[in-house]
Each structure stands twice: as structure tokens, then as C-alpha cells.
Amino acid sequence: MKLLIAGLIIWSLVHLIPSLASPLKHKLTSRLGEKGYKLTFTVLILISIALIVFGWRSIEPVTLYMLPYGLRHAFMLMILIAFILMGASNYPTRIKSFIRHPQLTGVVVWALAHLLLNGDNRSIVLFGWLGAWAILEIILINRREGAWVKQASPGWARELRGLVISLVVFVVFAVAHPYFTGVALH
């Protein structure tokens, strides 16, 4: 559990620097340069992901609750919606006209779906933490950035292309899921 929690702490702290410690970000950027800061950020995030994956896989799961199996399809639909939301943050989309932070909202939906699908100790720590982190990020970013300026809607071709890319990414992650989590999708 220590590796998992260490990874989650690193993930959270690195992502929270711009919102909670902007003087530290400016200090690091001036010392390392923009590229150096981004490289350091990336390396720390990759380390956190490795710790999370290895920590996750090293924990013997203990089931604390189990929801009815028949609800799995609804929860999988939530995960698909989460991928669409996360993808929407990377291109102009109509989603951004009614969801200010589609990527972080997608993380919240993804985490909630995983909490509903998996009632074991390691899932509660991982997905509960990441869901809470995403909600905190939304609050802090809203506070830092002030009023929401909505983007203009793109053309339908651009919108459809983004949706297709999100669906392809979803399929790739679904296929790869057993290999990096050790948990097969049923």
C-alpha cells in the first residue's frame, strides 16, 4: 500500500503546484527554464504512475463491498463517457460549452465508475484518491482562473473526429487493461 500511496502523493503534489504553490512554480521555471520545468514535471508524473501501477499490483485485494453484477454495463458506459470527456479537453468541442473542465470531470466519472465496479481496499484508495484530487483541482483552478469564458462550438466534422479519437483510445485502454492492471475486463 505504501508504493500506491507514495505514487498518489507525488501525482497530486506535482499537479497541485500551479494552483497551490504558484510562487514555487515560477521559481522552478526561472531556475530550470520552461522546458526544464516541463521535463521535471513529466519525469515526476511518470515516476508516480510507475509507483501507482507497481503499488496497485503488489496489494492483495480485500473485497469490502460488491454491487450487483447486472450494473456492470452501466458502469462501463460511465467509463466510456469519462474517456469522451477526457478526450474533449484536447480539441474544440461542444462539451466545453457546458462543462468547464472536461478532463477533470472525466477523471471524476472514471473514478466513480471504478469505485462502483470494484469494492476492494486498493480500488477504494486509488479511485477514491484520484476522484477527490480531480474535484479539488476543479475547485482550485476555478478559484485561480476566475470567470469561465466559454469557447465557440467547432464544426461537426471536427467534433466527430474528436469523438472517434476518444472511442479509439477507449478501445486501446480496454484491450491493454489486463496487461497494466492485472485485472481482466469481463
Side-chain angles (χ1 to χ4, degrees), residues 3 6 48 57 86 90 94 114 121 126 134 136-137 140-141 146 148 157 161 163-164 167 178 180 184-186:
L3 285 177
S48 74
R57 292 184 68 128
M86 286 186 257
N90 297 306
R94 285 166 175 75
H114 278 81
N121 55 339
L126 175 62
L136 179 61
E137 279 284 4
L140 292 172
I141 291 169
W148 179 19
R161 188 178 89 191
L163 179 62
V164 168
L167 294 174
F180 64 86
L185 301 178
H186 309 133

Side-chain angles (χ1 to χ4, degrees), residues 67-80:
L67 295 179
Y69 188 79
L71 296 174
R72 281 185 78 69
H73 297 297
F75 303 146
M76 292 302 288
L77 177 61
M78 287 175 66
I79 294 171
L80 174 60

Side-chain angles (χ1 to χ4, degrees), residues 93-104:
T93 177
R94 285 166 175 75
I95 290 172
K96 290 181 181 175
S97 66
F98 61 94
I99 297 178
R100 184 172 183 176
H101 304 286
Q103 185 170 34
L104 291 168

Side-chain angles (χ1 to χ4, degrees), residues 102-143:
Q103 185 170 34
L104 291 168
T105 304
V107 172
V108 172
V109 172
W110 171 84
L112 180 60
H114 278 81
L115 283 169
L116 294 169
L117 281 165
N118 307 291
D120 60 87
N121 55 339
R122 65 186 185 173
S123 295
I124 292 169
V125 170
L126 175 62
F127 302 115
W129 185 301
L130 289 176
W133 161 79
I135 291 168
L136 179 61
E137 279 284 4
I138 290 169
I139 293 166
L140 292 172
I141 291 169
N142 287 347
R143 185 180 74 183

Side-chain angles (χ1 to χ4, degrees), residues 14-74:
V14 170
H15 279 94
L16 288 169
I17 285 174
S19 295
L20 291 177
S22 109
L24 174 61
K25 179 185 178 188
H26 294 302
K27 186 177 180 179
L28 291 171
T29 303
S30 66
R31 185 176 286 164
L32 303 170
E34 188 68 30
K35 287 183 180 179
Y37 173 78
K38 287 181 179 180
L39 178 63
T40 303
F41 182 97
T42 301
V43 167
L44 288 171
I45 291 304
L46 291 173
I47 289 169
S48 74
I49 291 170
L51 289 170
I52 289 168
V53 170
F54 289 119
W56 166 270
R57 292 184 68 128
S58 70
I59 298 168
E60 184 66 36
V62 176
T63 301
L64 302 172
Y65 63 85
M66 188 178 296
L67 295 179
Y69 188 79
L71 296 174
R72 281 185 78 69
H73 297 297

